[in-house]
Amino acid sequence: MTRSARALVLILGCARVLGGQTKVHDTTFVLAARTPDRWPGPYIGNGHLGGIITATGIGAMPVLVAGLYEEAPGDVPRITSIPAWNVVDLFDGARWLSAQAATPAALQQYVQTLDMYAGTVHTTYDWVDGDRRMSVEVDQLISRADPHLAAVRVRVVPRFAGRVRIAFPLTAWPPPRRLPLAQVERYDPAWGPKDTWYPGHVTIRSRRAALTADGGEVSLDGTPDGRTTMVAQLAAVAWPHGLPGAVADTTVVGDSAAVSLSFDAAAGRRYTFTKFVGNATSLEGADPASRAATVARVARAHGYEAVRAASAAAWAQRWKTDIEITGHPELQRIVRAMLFQ
């Protein structure tokens, strides 16, 4: 009997399939990491959208869409990565967080937790940049209740008084370095996985950023290379009202667009920002841009906690069918991780 077969026998021998709801606070639904210098991060998704969370929680996350493919000349058809929707960047007056290496020295008291029961990722750390320190807390989800919705909430506590800036972009990925795999007759042993496996590319056709009464909006529309499918994204951003010295602006550069906010931060005060993103394609119907906008705007109107609760309730329905293992919490965690993925 092989090792994998013995493991399967062990799992089936001590498991029972449940029809009832599992315990919300069961720690075997939780996976945690305490160091930022690792890859990959946790995977989240809802069956339609799926991606990998970065160490900071707000770095550009590759996101794939089920059924969305490109077909570039000379290459094989590839599932396509849509523009990074989750990016939120912080400026402490001297440096952007995205320019800081994700090391234990820069991101201190670091914890990143995947809650498989609710399908959420929670990341906390203190960003240390010279004599400046900022506590960062990020909550992120791809909604199980709405396959076209994703959201990220960022809470920051500057440990200094001074000017702070926060940016909310949508950013397209650059074209990959392609191999003409549709024409290759012989495999080169020097090729590695990154040379042959890479996601497809979306060429941006339009981009927009605008300020609104309650925050801002950013949108990108494009088509996968070699195809006519339309891909649309709209991010609806919300930030606190009445921030001292607040100045909001927009930026549209190349294949990215962003809304940004700068303000005079008080030391020790917590500030909360949210970004709701609607994603839609013409594979599912006409006018994907309008559908993406509606998803994002409705989510912003309801707020992050309502979006999180709806997604968690949908995940709870999925977990009504579970495999429960008694007396072996580590094996229980492994099995639930496989079920979650």
Side-chain angles (χ1 to χ4, degrees):
M1 184 182 293
T2 66
R3 180 179 299 178
S4 59
R6 287 197 298 271
L8 181 61
V9 170
L10 173 62
I11 292 171
L12 295 178
C14 60
R16 61 186 178 90
V17 177
L18 299 179
Q21 184 168 323
T22 52
K23 297 178 181 178
V24 177
H25 300 295
D26 189 335
T27 59
T28 59
F29 281 104
V30 176
L31 303 176
R34 299 186 180 276
T35 180
D37 51 349
R38 70 189 197 287
W39 182 259
Y43 291 73
I44 61 171
N46 59 14
H48 181 67
L49 301 170
I52 307 173
I53 304 292
T54 62
T56 61
I58 48 180
M61 177 174 72
V63 175
L64 302 178
V65 178
L68 184 66
Y69 285 82
E70 59 135 54
E71 197 165 358
D75 206 346
V76 295
R78 294 181 179 275
I79 193 167
T80 301
S81 183
I82 60 176
W85 62 267
N86 68 306
V87 180
V88 178
D89 209 356
L90 299 168
F91 185 72
D92 65 1
R95 190 193 312 265
W96 288 96
L97 177 56
S98 61
Q100 185 80 56
T103 64
L107 307 182
Q108 298 182 9
Q109 301 182 47
Y110 180 91
V111 181
Q112 187 170 69
T113 303
L114 168 62
D115 179 349
M116 296 182 289
Y117 192 83
T120 57
V121 174
H122 181 71
T123 310
T124 61
Y125 48 89
D126 276 6
W127 173 30
V128 179
D129 180 24
D131 62 351
R132 297 208 158 188
R133 178 184 291 262
M134 186 183 301
S135 298
V136 180
E137 180 181 356
V138 184
D139 292 292
Q140 195 162 166
L141 62 86
I142 295 177
S143 175
R144 186 86 203 186
D146 185 335
H148 303 96
L149 173 63
V152 55
R153 178 176 65 187
V154 180
R155 292 170 167 170
V156 298
V157 181
R159 303 302 176 182
F160 59 90
R163 198 74 177 164
V164 169
R165 187 173 179 84
I166 183 166
F168 307 89
L170 290 177
T171 304
W173 298 96
R177 180 184 177 185
R178 294 187 183 275
L179 286 175
L181 292 180
Q183 304 165 0
V184 167
E185 296 180 356
R186 181 176 299 174
Y187 183 83
D188 187 337
W191 292 340
K194 290 184 179 180
D195 297 312
T196 57
W197 196 99
Y198 43 85
H201 175 251
V202 171
T203 296
I204 300 304
R205 305 299 181 185
S206 67
R207 56 202 60 76
R208 184 181 68 89
L211 301 178
T212 64
D214 48 2
E217 290 186 354
V218 184
S219 64
L220 293 180
D221 301 328
T223 55
D225 291 358
R227 298 208 174 179
T228 59
T229 306
M230 293 299 300
V231 179
Q233 293 174 292
L234 185 134
V237 178
W239 52 62
H241 293 286
L243 294 175
V247 177
D249 56 45
T250 64
T251 306
V252 178
V253 178
D255 285 344
S256 67
V259 294
S260 302
L261 178 73
S262 59
F263 62 97
D264 297 319
R269 180 176 175 181
R270 186 170 74 172
Y271 303 92
T272 301
F273 308 87
T274 49
K275 182 180 183 183
F276 305 92
V277 184
N279 303 272
T281 76
S282 59
L283 295 172
E284 304 155 294
D287 200 0
S290 293
R291 289 186 284 114
T294 298
V295 167
R297 291 165 181 164
V298 169
R300 181 172 60 183
H302 285 88
Y304 184 85
E305 282 302 325
V307 168
R308 184 206 59 77
S311 181
W315 270 109
Q317 290 297 313
R318 298 292 294 174
W319 284 113
K320 283 186 174 181
T321 300
D322 188 14
I323 297 175
E324 186 178 79
I325 299 170
T326 58
H328 203 313
E330 188 57 29
L331 183 57
Q332 176 72 90
R333 186 175 288 107
I334 291 170
V335 169
R336 283 180 171 154
M338 291 189 291
L339 290 172
F340 178 79
Q341 299 299 342

